[in-house]
Amino acid sequence: MISYLIQVTVCLGLFYSVYYFLLRGDKFFNLQRTYLLGTLFLSIVIPLIDLSSFRPEVVNQLPVVANALSFMQVPATQAVPDQSLTLTEIFFIAYGVIALMLSFKFIMTIRSLINLVKKGERESYGKYTMIYTDKQILIASFFKYIFIEKSMKFEKESLDYMLIHEKKHIRDLHFIDLIIVEVIKIVFWINPFVYLHSFSIKSVHEYICDQEVVRYTTPESYEKLLIKSFFNQVGMPLLSQFSETSIKSRLNMIKKQNTVWFKKLKFLAIIPVAFLLVYACNQEDFEDLSVVSQEFSGRVTDTDGNPLPGVNIILEGTKTGAISDINGNYKIDNSNADAQQVTFSFIGLESVTIDIGSKSIIDVAMGESADMIESEIGSPTTDLTFDEGLSVSGRILDENGEPMPGVFVIIVGGNAGGITDFDGKYKLSTPDQGGLLLFSFEGYESQLIDIKEKSVIDVVMAEKEIEISSNN
């Protein structure tokens, strides 16, 4: 989500830069209005475009292997409780609270406009309705209503020009633009370029209406009216107000000569910019801006590049994880756990812990452990083969009675072993003379059990106690 907000900001920033430096000086006001509204929507949509869906997928047929280890997703159960809020959670709580406050303000603005319509004195004006109000607004419009301040005394000619101006706002549906912009400002209130877009859209609205009025009078006469109205303003974002935008900017635009038609071609700059942003938002560097990936996958190999099936892959502080398949591939859903790190462990190999960040692919090469298990129990093999003969089976549970998938079950000193399935069950062949079974799982105390003549061995595994050192 944070990555998305950053990408929207970058898109809006680049689109607005094109407008500011290339387009805003021309008198193609309707094109500018379309550009500003269109780039608002494009900036919201572009980060959602996934180019990977357009890339051809290469599917390799996996060989059929007897007793192959199957890929399985470990359920997210009994995650280690943590009552403290992360910085990400605090950010989104604050973000939501401010968005909620802005939503309330927006609703109150709508309510104020409705009250103006209900309480004001009405007068029919063709397709429109004049609303005379005590509010200090000079003259403004919204929907089909034109609001006029009661205390203001207008010359008939000045009032006519103002009404032409406001009718143009209503005919061109400028109030819809303002509603759309206000809603976007609520959702993306943290984005500075949303406010720049909003200001520019309102300015373009005024230029369009000024251009309409100048058709009926001289620029000099209209300039005097603009200057006279400059000090009568009110802060209601949904109103199209006669005196809202900078008078200096409006006067400059009125005096400016019409722009030659071929300069409209500059608006085509939106095409390469849009394609550039779509491409950029699909790059891994952009994805790395997020706090933590919600889903990632990868491949686990040994140092020689050979795939490692049966590797335990556990999200930090949880029991959520996966087991690599016959080709060393895995995939993990981190949306519920929101873990920051992932640990890869395999009997006889050095465990590897990696920061997840926003990575969507995490490949790992695992080397032999410096602290070999043979120092305690001999020299067990990690070759997970299945021999014919006597067998032992059972089920492995945690201290709460929940099944534990992905637990390594190794015959010490032999060449047989296995991994528990989704229900915590296992079954493997044993040598005629019996032996010791080693049960091992990352984060839990390993157990050694004498097989003797047992055919069923159930185990309850206890979590390791974590020692927290203090540097006080």
Side-chain angles (χ1 to χ4, degrees):
M1 180 62 180
I2 291 180
S3 176
Y4 174 72
L5 292 175
I6 294 173
Q7 290 177 20
V8 171
T9 301
V10 172
C11 291
L12 272 177
L14 188 53
F15 280 132
Y16 188 80
S17 297
V18 172
Y19 168 77
Y20 188 85
F21 293 108
L22 193 63
L23 307 176
R24 73 184 176 104
D26 297 329
K27 295 189 75 171
F28 303 122
F29 302 132
N30 285 313
L31 274 176
Q32 290 176 4
R33 176 192 178 192
T34 302
Y35 176 89
L36 289 167
L37 286 171
T39 52
L40 269 177
F41 285 107
L42 278 176
S43 298
I44 295 170
V45 171
I46 283 176
L48 302 176
I49 298 175
D50 184 7
L51 292 181
S52 63
S53 60
F54 299 98
R55 301 189 188 111
E57 293 186 4
V58 179
V59 179
N60 295 320
Q61 182 66 40
L62 297 178
V64 178
V65 180
N67 296 316
L69 297 172
S70 59
F71 172 87
M72 53 186 166
Q73 182 75 25
V74 182
T77 58
Q78 299 182 10
V80 175
D82 185 359
Q83 301 300 324
S84 61
L85 293 174
T86 65
L87 289 176
T88 304
E89 291 170 335
I90 293 172
F91 170 79
F92 283 115
I93 289 172
Y95 193 97
V97 168
I98 294 176
L100 191 63
M101 292 170 61
L102 293 174
S103 300
F104 179 75
K105 182 180 177 182
F106 177 75
I107 293 171
M108 295 305 295
T109 300
I110 296 290
R111 184 179 176 183
S112 297
L113 289 174
I114 294 173
N115 287 335
L116 283 179
V117 172
K118 286 182 178 179
K119 297 179 180 179
E121 298 176 11
R122 293 172 174 244
E123 180 184 339
S124 180
Y125 184 65
K127 297 179 182 179
Y128 316 107
T129 302
M130 309 273 279
I131 304 292
Y132 294 93
T133 176
D134 294 325
K135 196 171 187 65
Q136 184 185 353
I137 59 175
L138 182 63
I139 186 168
S141 60
F142 179 77
F143 192 46
K144 65 176 182 178
Y145 302 103
I146 298 175
F147 303 92
I148 299 178
E149 184 181 342
K150 285 182 182 179
S151 61
M152 294 301 296
K153 303 299 180 182
F154 301 103
E155 297 176 0
K156 184 180 184 306
E157 185 180 29
S158 297
L159 180 59
D160 287 342
Y161 294 152
M162 290 181 179
L163 291 176
I164 291 171
H165 184 280
E166 296 307 319
K167 285 194 293 182
K168 181 64 174 175
H169 277 308
I170 296 172
R171 283 199 307 272
D172 286 3
L173 305 178
H174 290 170
F175 66 91
I176 294 180
D177 297 2
L178 299 181
I179 291 174
I180 291 172
V181 169
E182 287 304 310
V183 171
I184 293 175
K185 282 165 67 176
I186 290 171
V187 179
F188 298 96
W189 62 264
I190 201 171
N191 191 325
F193 295 104
V194 170
Y195 301 93
L196 293 174
H197 265 71
S198 174
F199 174 79
S200 296
I201 288 171
K202 288 182 179 181
S203 297
V204 169
H205 286 174
E206 298 307 314
Y207 300 153
I208 290 172
C209 296
D210 289 343
Q211 196 174 41
E212 177 73 7
V213 176
V214 172
R215 292 174 55 196
Y216 299 92
T217 184
T218 63
E220 291 76 18
S221 298
Y222 189 54
E223 287 172 11
K224 292 178 183 178
L225 178 60
L226 288 177
I227 294 171
K228 183 179 178 180
S229 66
F230 177 67
F231 296 102
N232 295 275
Q233 302 182 42
V234 65
M236 294 189 70
L238 296 182
L239 287 178
S240 295
Q241 296 173 236
F242 182 79
S243 59
E244 183 160 356
T245 304
S246 165
I247 295 297
K248 182 179 178 181
S249 299
R250 292 170 68 179
L251 292 176
N252 289 338
M253 279 298 178
I254 290 171
K255 294 176 181 177
K256 191 168 187 176
Q257 296 295 321
N258 289 334
T259 311
V260 291
W261 69 268
F262 64 81
K263 286 194 174 182
K264 291 181 179 180
L265 296 176
K266 292 191 294 185
F267 285 86
L268 295 177
I270 190 176
I271 297 175
V273 172
F275 277 109
L276 173 65
L277 289 170
V278 170
Y279 176 77
C281 288
N282 277 269
Q283 299 308 299
E284 187 174 350
D285 290 342
F286 243 133
E287 294 171 358
D288 286 343
L289 295 173
S290 61
V291 173
V292 61
S293 177
Q294 297 301 296
E295 184 178 89
F296 60 93
S297 58
R299 189 165 184 257
V300 187
T301 64
D302 60 20
T303 51
D304 295 324
N306 300 313
L308 279 176
V311 175
N312 266 315
I313 306 152
I314 304 296
L315 295 175
E316 175 195 38
T318 74
K319 293 181 183 177
T320 303
I323 299 170
S324 60
D325 65 15
I326 191 66
N327 293 298
N329 297 321
Y330 72 91
K331 185 177 182 181
I332 293 182
D333 182 2
N334 189 27
S335 56
N336 293 324
D338 197 24
Q340 303 294 322
Q341 293 183 317
V342 60
T343 297
F344 300 78
S345 59
F346 193 85
I347 294 295
L349 299 181
E350 191 74 41
S351 294
V352 177
T353 299
I354 294 178
D355 291 329
I356 297 171
S358 63
K359 303 181 184 76
S360 58
I361 298 177
I362 300 178
D363 293 330
V364 175
M366 301 184 69
E368 291 187 2
S369 173
D371 183 19
M372 296 296 290
I373 197 170
E374 60 182 320
S375 62
E376 295 182 11
I377 58 173
S379 181
T381 178
T382 58
D383 181 17
L384 304 183
T385 60
F386 295 81
D387 295 336
E388 297 296 332
L390 300 178
S391 65
V392 62
S393 61
R395 194 166 186 234
I396 302 179
L397 308 175
D398 63 15
E399 294 173 297
N400 297 311
E402 295 292 333
M404 293 184 63
V407 176
F408 283 97
V409 186
I410 305 291
I411 297 178
V412 177
N415 65 346
I419 298 173
T420 56
D421 64 14
F422 189 81
D423 295 314
K425 296 178 180 179
Y426 71 94
K427 183 177 181 180
L428 67 159
S429 300
T430 63
D432 294 341
Q433 68 273 20
L436 294 176
L437 277 185
L438 170 66
F439 298 86
S440 176
F441 191 80
E442 182 71 20
Y444 284 75
E445 297 288 348
S446 298
Q447 293 192 36
L448 277 174
I449 297 179
D450 193 350
I451 300 173
K452 294 184 179 178
E453 297 179 355
K454 299 170 186 169
S455 59
V456 177
I457 299 178
D458 295 328
V459 175
V460 175
M461 300 192 70
E463 291 187 78
K464 288 181 179 179
E465 294 184 4
I466 302 174
E467 296 183 2
I468 303 176
S469 60
S470 175
N471 294 324
N472 294 337

